[in-house]
Amino acid sequence: MLDWWEKNFATCELGDRRLNERAMSIGYALSLGFGKALSEIFSSGTVLKRAYEFLLIQKWNFQK
């Protein structure tokens, strides 16, 4: 799964260093906990909440 993380997150560029770091940390955690519930993947309620908030940001424009 770490290959998946590197391919999809390690080189992301979202226009803000903090957003890049958040995306990379979320992607890394997801790759390590693949198949588990998000509440099991993230270490605390605060980290889980921040992951959900990150995913709700509406300015993402993913193009293939």
Side-chain angles (χ1 to χ4, degrees):
M1 288 309 298
L2 290 180
D3 291 337
W4 173 85
W5 174 80
E6 288 177 353
K7 180 180 176 185
N8 292 286
F9 290 94
T11 59
C12 71
E13 183 54 55
L14 302 175
D16 182 307
R17 179 187 52 81
R18 294 169 299 163
L19 293 176
N20 293 344
E21 290 173 359
R22 177 78 53 85
M24 288 187 286
S25 67
I26 290 171
Y28 187 72
L30 291 173
S31 69
L32 292 177
F34 184 77
K36 295 181 182 178
L38 293 179
S39 60
E40 293 179 74
I41 293 172
F42 296 102
S43 59
S44 71
T46 302
V47 177
L48 176 61
K49 181 180 176 186
R50 291 180 75 188
Y52 277 122
E53 289 170 347
F54 179 84
L55 296 172
L56 293 175
I57 295 174
Q58 294 183 9
K59 68 179 182 178
W60 307 135
N61 182 16
F62 297 109
Q63 300 175 357
K64 291 185 176 188

